[in-house]
Amino acid sequence: MTDIALEMPWLQKSWQVIQHRLAEGRLPHALLVTGECGVGKRAWADAVSGLLLCAAPVNMQAGAPVACGKCRQCELLAASSHPDVRVYAPEKSRMIKVDQIRSLSAFAVSSPQVAGRKIAVIDRADQLNINSANALLKTLEEPVSDFVLLLLQESGRPVLPTIRSRCQVLSIPVPSTEQANQWLASRVANLESDKQPSAELMAKSLMLAGNAPRLALEYATGEFPALRDEAFDKFRQFMKGQVAVAEAAKAFKALGLEDMLWLFEGWAADLARLSAGGKANDPEAGEMLGFLAGINPAWRAHELLDRVRDGRAAGVYNANPELEASRLLLAWRDLMPTKRRAS
């Protein structure tokens, strides 16, 4: 089985932590893995699951084991049919519900069916609701020797301090531009020729994804860049008073709530960077954001970030994306000089 650090070299440090802990017999019962959206947290968790379940890891004596890829455990995992691995993620809502965590708790105390241990992955631990988070605490407080819990958290999305304090924390960095480019190019090369994005689109997708390669691949092969350009165009027109808020909001609604909030969050973060004398991560928005940074106090950027967090919290209760877009657009317009605001 391929070493994940060879495929995604920016995962090397966090991967080696697991390799060394396994070789030394010092595995933690719960790991909280943090990183930006699209940086490879789930791929890392899948690789860790394979290593921990493998019946005959290769290179164990050298302290850098990898799964053999040949034993029954590896074959079951490759077929996505291993009974001792469970993944919990939001289902039919934006949150992980208490019934899912109760199922996880029952799984944790059951006997492994075919392997020597059980693995549970909580994909988006930052989307546990208060009831499910409290239910998880019991499992964390009463660890089982043959059970390992991997919690994946997106950067900037909080988890309860009581959960974080009961886990060992690993951070996955964003790769360098060179690493991200190489990974994205290798994936694009496997696509049919008529579906391969242009070099320009790949570069733009990486920029929009903040160099997170898996997210960039999703963007480069999907509709997000075009929808984002339409939303940005309406945003500029709205800020200049050329279109009404309802028209601009429709362009953001087309993105969907999560991508819309991601976009507004990125611009607000760039506004904060520019206010502090830094550079915008989104160069296409840099000129407009630089103008706003020059005429507003720095705290206005953080106020906008708070409003995005409010929008994300409202999303739990199926908030209307168009209304949320209108609310955020009006907050942005408040940064403009009075005479340039739309009537």
Side-chain angles (χ1 to χ4, degrees):
M1 184 171 287
T2 303
D3 190 327
I4 190 70
L6 297 178
E7 182 182 347
M8 299 180 176
W10 61 93
L11 301 180
Q12 181 175 10
K13 185 176 180 180
S14 56
W15 176 241
Q16 287 177 337
V17 168
I18 298 300
Q19 289 179 305
H20 295 162
R21 297 278 178 86
L22 178 62
E24 296 166 0
R26 296 189 301 110
L27 276 176
H29 73 280
L31 276 164
L32 178 63
V33 183
T34 68
E36 297 292 342
C37 175
V39 82
K41 298 184 295 297
R42 180 61 188 276
W44 181 91
D46 290 344
V48 169
S49 298
L51 175 58
L52 298 187
L53 292 173
C54 179
V58 179
N59 210 28
M60 178 68 82
Q61 297 302 317
V66 293
C68 70
K70 300 176 181 178
C71 68
R72 185 188 179 199
Q73 312 300 332
C74 290
E75 290 176 349
L76 286 170
L77 199 61
S80 301
S81 59
H82 202 298
D84 295 321
V85 180
R86 301 282 176 85
V87 178
Y88 300 87
E91 296 177 354
K92 298 180 181 179
S93 78
R94 294 186 175 87
M95 303 302 288
I96 297 172
K97 296 182 177 180
V98 67
D99 287 346
Q100 294 173 270
I101 300 304
R102 287 172 181 158
S103 173
L104 182 154
S105 299
F107 172 65
V109 298
S110 65
S111 298
Q113 295 188 38
V114 295
R117 57 168 59 93
K118 308 174 298 290
I119 313 291
V121 178
I122 299 182
D123 196 348
R124 294 303 301 271
D126 49 277
Q127 290 186 282
L128 292 160
N129 65 31
I130 190 65
N131 292 329
S132 56
N134 286 329
L136 183 63
L137 285 175
K138 184 177 181 181
T139 298
L140 291 171
E141 290 167 349
E142 301 174 2
V144 181
S145 60
D146 61 2
F147 175 68
V148 176
L149 178 60
L150 305 175
L151 301 95
L152 310 183
Q153 175 195 13
E154 283 196 9
S155 298
R157 314 287 193 267
V159 298
L160 284 181
T162 47
I163 289 179
R164 188 179 186 89
S165 65
R166 288 165 173 79
C167 302
Q168 291 192 20
V169 180
L170 286 176
S171 296
I172 292 180
V174 174
S176 67
T177 300
E178 181 181 2
Q179 289 173 334
N181 271 318
Q182 288 177 349
W183 186 91
L184 183 59
S186 68
R187 291 302 178 276
V188 166
N190 293 328
L191 300 175
E192 296 177 12
S193 58
D194 61 335
K195 295 182 180 179
Q196 292 183 3
S198 65
E200 181 182 1
L201 179 55
M202 288 168 59
K204 182 166 186 170
S205 296
L206 273 172
M207 179 274 290
L208 293 173
N211 256 20
R214 294 174 74 89
L215 184 60
L217 178 62
E218 180 182 326
Y219 286 171
T221 55
E223 298 180 347
F224 179 80
L227 292 174
R228 176 265 180 197
D229 287 351
E230 175 65 19
F232 182 50
D233 186 53
K234 293 298 182 185
F235 182 45
R236 286 187 297 188
Q237 292 179 44
F238 171 71
M239 295 293 280
K240 295 176 181 178
Q242 296 172 349
V243 299
V245 65
E247 182 177 345
K250 287 180 181 178
F252 283 90
K253 177 187 176 182
L255 289 163
L257 183 64
E258 189 60 34
D259 281 342
M260 175 191 80
L261 293 173
W262 167 270
L263 196 57
F264 276 126
E265 185 177 45
W267 289 339
D270 275 349
L271 182 64
R273 293 185 188 96
L274 290 163
S275 296
K279 293 183 179 179
N281 284 345
D282 185 343
E284 295 178 2
E287 181 179 354
M288 182 187 68
L289 295 175
F291 168 74
L292 294 174
I295 61 173
N296 286 279
W299 59 263
R300 297 302 297 271
H302 298 282
E303 184 179 67
L304 289 168
L305 287 168
D306 286 340
R307 289 179 181 271
V308 170
R309 282 189 281 269
D310 290 343
R312 198 165 273 119
V316 174
Y317 304 101
N318 297 317
N320 184 309
E322 194 167 352
L323 290 178
E324 286 301 309
S326 296
R327 182 180 64 85
L328 288 165
L329 284 165
L330 291 171
W332 274 93
R333 190 178 65 176
D334 285 343
L335 273 62
M336 291 292 286
T338 304
K339 66 179 181 179
R340 296 185 66 175
R341 296 179 189 174
S343 58

